Amino acid sequence: MISTREFVIDDYDAAVALWNLLKGIEVAEGDSREEIGAYLLRNPGLSRVAEENGAMVGAVLCGHDGRRGLIYHLAVAPAYQGKGIGKLLVGECIAQLRDAGIVRALILVARDNSSAHSFWLQSGWEDVPGALLMGIDL
Ligand SMILES: CC(C)(COP(=O)(O)OP(=O)(O)OC[C@H]1O[C@@H](n2cnc3c(N)ncnc32)[C@H](O)[C@@H]1OP(=O)(O)O)[C@@H](O)C(=O)NCCC(=O)NCCS
């Protein structure tokens, strides 16, 4: 029996273990316990976990800047993939973003993660032609 709930900071270690297990997710700057704690406080209830018997089987970070929603690090444990858990978690993120008045969300997918790209396309997300992702370390 899979259940979902808010991602709280006590989930940090299990989430990092899951993210590190999966190809396609890079634990990077912004992902320290302190930074994730601040992110969860800033975006209460938007990040989600899925559990079976109290063990984490899926996780996702979600937030918004008041204009765009952003989803990060969607992960489902290998033995639980293909059972609708990813879709469930993303659906909860989208519902929370809608409740917050956000009308568009973005996801960053690693260029070599064709499996995740297919998942997002299958889930109704679209490529953003003409957009070029850029960044800077602050
Ligand atoms: C991507 C991921 C989160 C999908 O989670 P999941 O629980 O396996 O996906 P679901 O079972 O909820 O699938 C939902 C729908 O997407 C489809 N789907 C799932 N994976 C897919 C894939 N790789 N390609 C195309 N469609 C896919 C399912 O068939 C299902 O379709 P339906 O709604 O018509 O039944 C999971 O495979 C994962 O953790 N991958 C590794 C980490 C990763 O790459 N994360 C994404 C970072 S951007």
Side-chain angles (χ1 to χ4, degrees), residues 18-41:
L18 178 59
W19 293 332
N20 280 327
L21 186 72
L22 294 169
K23 257 180 80 181
I25 295 184
E26 188 188 350
V27 176
E29 69 280 352
D31 287 337
S32 70
R33 177 184 291 273
E34 190 181 45
E35 289 162 325
I36 294 289
Y39 183 77
L40 297 174
L41 281 178

Side-chain angles (χ1 to χ4, degrees):
M1 178 75 173
I2 304 294
S3 59
T4 61
R5 60 168 173 78
E6 178 178 357
F7 187 132
V8 296
I9 195 57
D10 285 349
D11 296 313
Y12 179 80
D13 289 338
V16 170
L18 178 59
W19 293 332
N20 280 327
L21 186 72
L22 294 169
K23 257 180 80 181
I25 295 184
E26 188 188 350
V27 176
E29 69 280 352
D31 287 337
S32 70
R33 177 184 291 273
E34 190 181 45
E35 289 162 325
I36 294 289
Y39 183 77
L40 297 174
L41 281 178
R42 188 189 148 99
N43 298 282
L46 274 71
S47 298
R48 314 292 300 168
V49 298
E51 294 178 312
E52 185 183 61
N53 299 324
M56 183 183 292
V57 298
V60 62
L61 295 177
C62 177
H64 69 80
D65 60 11
R67 184 167 181 273
R68 295 284 186 256
L70 279 161
I71 293 178
Y72 302 98
H73 292 2
L74 173 66
V76 175
Y80 291 84
Q81 291 179 9
K83 299 175 188 291
I85 297 171
K87 185 176 180 174
L88 182 64
L89 290 172
V90 172
E92 292 184 355
C93 291
I94 287 175
Q96 299 267 4
L97 289 170
R98 280 204 186 107
D99 283 352
I102 303 298
V103 298
R104 185 157 175 87
L106 303 172
I107 171 78
L108 177 62
V109 184
R111 195 171 288 278
D112 61 357
N113 194 349
S114 58
S115 170
H117 185 214
S118 300
F119 166 81
W120 291 108
L121 288 173
Q122 157 77 19
S123 305
W125 293 59
E126 59 198 14
D127 292 333
V128 186
L132 181 65
L133 181 72
M134 300 180 71
I136 190 171
D137 289 332
L138 305 180

